[in-house]
């Protein structure tokens, strides 16, 4: 449905305005082309869901190469959309440069629509089971949709099984820690209340946990649990992830930090090697935080804020 909406929008909105601008590159035709092109920025959500919800299930079935190749092309398309958007917004941009950039973005988007329809979707339908589609549907709602309203609730292809008797849940044991004990619900709520995103990768390089705070910086749905961490990153940055893990395991480093501007936020990403008291490597902890507010703090605050 998203691909049909994308194809329709490019055909009926973007292409006619591109042709109008090609014939008469006025400020009015430029503005019309810019307005028509802007909704294609939503394509990022489409790719985000594909990479973080669909690909993990293909990987669980041993299909890893096609997702990696497709993710690389997704990032190329993101770059083309960004480049065209910048040219459309910059004053004094060369008209031929704008036309070329928009044409290339539209061409690549159309090619990806074809690949998803004829390669990705058949592969998914042949591989995944109904219970996996149900999880995909649930995680998709969290990430949102591109150019379409939320689709109807997922309906399994198979007839539902007869209802089983409901059994009382076993009491949940507290988790004993060196300085206290917590119920699992308390621990989960506590981690989700922190103003940071937390992801833990086990010693086998698979994702074992991710917090679910109210405002996540990067998508982390339940689909990523058990996924190899290198598959959670764009192909262009996989070598960086592998280098961090190798240095942590070898004991060369205990942490690594990155910071970048992204979507109006100033993001600090910190990686920590998690080790036992004896120094044995147990995994890697990723902590991500928007530090824009922290950087803006000045002076002192000693009073409680009003509700």
């Amino acid at each position: 449905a998203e691909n049909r909406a994308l194809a329709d929008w490019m055909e009926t909105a973007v292409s006619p305005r591109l042709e109008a601008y090609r014939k008469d590159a006025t400020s009015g035709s430029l503005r019309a082309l810019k307005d028509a092109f802007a909704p294609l920025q939503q394509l990022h959500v489409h790719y985000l869901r594909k990479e973080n919800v669909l690909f993990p299930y293909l990987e669980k079935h041993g299909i890893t190469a096609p997702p990696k190749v497709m993710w690389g092309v997704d990032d190329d398309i993101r770059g083309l959309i960004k480049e065209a958007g910048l040219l459309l917004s910059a004053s004094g941009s060369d008209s031929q440069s704008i036309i070329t950039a928009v044409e290339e973005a539209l061409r690549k988007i159309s090619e990806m629509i074809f690949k998803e329809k004829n390669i990705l979707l058949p592969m998914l339908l042949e591989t995944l089971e109904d219970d996996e589609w149900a999880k995909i549907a649930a995680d998709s709602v969290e990430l949102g949709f591109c150019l379409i309203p939320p689709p109807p609730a997922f309906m399994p292809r198979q007839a539902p099984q007869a209802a089983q008797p409901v059994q009382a849940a076993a009491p949940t044991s507290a988790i004993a820690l060196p300085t206290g004990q917590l119920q699992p619900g308390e621990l989960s709520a506590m981690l989700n209340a922190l103003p940071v995103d937390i992801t833990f990768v086990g010693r086998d390089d698979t994702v074992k946990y991710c917090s679910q705070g109210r405002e996540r910086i990067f998508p982390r749905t339940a689909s990523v649990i058990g996924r190899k961490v290198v598959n959670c990153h764009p192909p262009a940055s996989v070598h960086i992830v592998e280098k961090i893990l190798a240095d942590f395991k070898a004991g060369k480093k205990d942490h690594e930090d990155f910071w970048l501007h992204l979507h109006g936020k100033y993001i600090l990403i910190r990686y920590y090697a998690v080790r036992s008291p004896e120094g044995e490597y147990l995994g890697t902890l990723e902590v991500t935080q928007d530090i824009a507010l922290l950087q803006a703090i000045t002076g002192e605050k000693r009073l409680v804020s009003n509700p």
Side-chain angles (χ1 to χ4, degrees):
E2 286 179 331
N3 279 337
R4 288 195 296 269
L6 278 165
D8 181 69
W9 184 258
M10 289 190 295
E11 180 181 355
T12 62
V14 184
S15 293
R17 287 163 178 79
L18 177 61
E19 289 306 310
Y21 180 72
R22 191 197 310 274
K23 294 176 181 178
D24 187 12
T26 64
S27 59
S29 61
L30 175 61
R31 184 166 55 252
L33 177 57
K34 176 183 175 183
D35 291 344
F37 190 82
L40 296 184
Q41 300 284 351
Q42 296 181 37
L43 191 55
H44 173 63
V45 176
H46 178 86
Y47 292 160
L48 200 64
R49 220 171 57 254
K50 178 171 63 172
E51 296 152 359
N52 292 277
V53 178
L54 295 179
F55 286 175
Y57 286 98
L58 287 177
E59 292 159 7
K60 289 174 183 177
H61 288 274
I63 301 173
T64 58
K68 289 179 181 178
V69 174
M70 194 167 280
W71 195 333
V73 180
D74 289 348
D75 280 346
D76 290 342
I77 295 172
R78 287 184 175 104
L80 292 171
I81 292 174
K82 181 178 180 180
E83 180 185 356
L86 290 173
L87 287 171
L88 286 164
S89 299
S91 59
S93 294
D94 175 66
S95 61
Q96 187 55 51
S97 297
I98 292 173
I99 292 169
T100 300
V102 172
E103 283 180 336
E104 182 67 4
L106 296 181
R107 183 177 69 83
K108 285 291 188 179
I109 293 170
S110 296
E111 289 178 355
M112 181 54 71
I113 290 174
F114 179 86
K115 292 174 182 176
E116 289 181 0
K117 178 180 178 181
N118 294 281
I119 300 175
L120 178 62
L121 291 179
M123 187 184 302
L124 289 164
L125 291 170
E126 291 172 3
T127 305
L128 304 190
E129 303 295 336
D130 273 358
D131 62 326
E132 293 173 314
W133 281 114
K135 295 173 184 176
I136 286 169
D139 285 344
S140 293
V141 173
E142 180 179 337
L143 295 181
F145 300 92
C146 166
L147 295 179
I148 65 169
F154 170 76
M155 297 296 292
R157 290 172 291 182
Q158 300 174 355
Q161 299 289 330
Q164 299 295 321
V166 178
Q167 298 180 351
T172 303
S173 301
I175 300 172
L177 300 169
T179 54
Q181 60 181 16
L182 295 167
Q183 292 292 330
E186 294 174 326
L187 179 58
S188 178
M190 183 177 73
L191 292 171
N192 290 340
L194 294 173
V196 297
D197 291 347
I198 299 173
T199 302
F200 179 68
V201 178
R203 70 178 83 203
D204 61 351
D205 299 340
T206 62
V207 179
K208 299 190 69 175
Y209 169 81
C210 57
S211 61
Q212 293 292 305
R214 293 181 180 177
E215 297 184 10
R216 293 202 58 87
I217 295 170
F218 298 117
R220 292 289 188 275
T221 63
S223 304
V224 305
I225 303 302
R227 190 183 192 189
K228 287 294 183 181
V229 67
V230 293
N231 294 333
C232 297
H233 294 78
S237 62
V238 165
H239 68 287
I240 299 175
V241 177
E242 292 175 334
K243 180 67 164 59
I244 292 172
L245 294 176
D247 286 345
F248 285 179
K249 291 176 181 179
K252 295 180 180 179
K253 290 183 178 180
D254 285 321
H255 76 276
E256 188 70 68
D257 298 340
F258 302 90
W259 48 91
L260 63 150
H261 293 280
L262 183 68
H263 306 314
K265 299 178 180 179
Y266 195 22
I267 309 302
L268 175 64
I269 308 170
R270 314 196 78 176
Y271 295 93
Y272 299 95
V274 179
R275 307 187 191 280
S276 70
E278 295 75 29
E280 178 188 6
Y281 174 79
L282 301 177
T284 293
L285 184 69
E286 176 188 326
V287 181
T288 307
Q289 183 177 13
D290 181 4
I291 60 172
L293 177 61
L294 299 180
Q295 286 209 319
I297 291 177
T298 58
E300 296 183 350
K301 181 182 183 295
R302 295 174 176 265
L303 301 177
V304 177
S305 302
N306 292 325

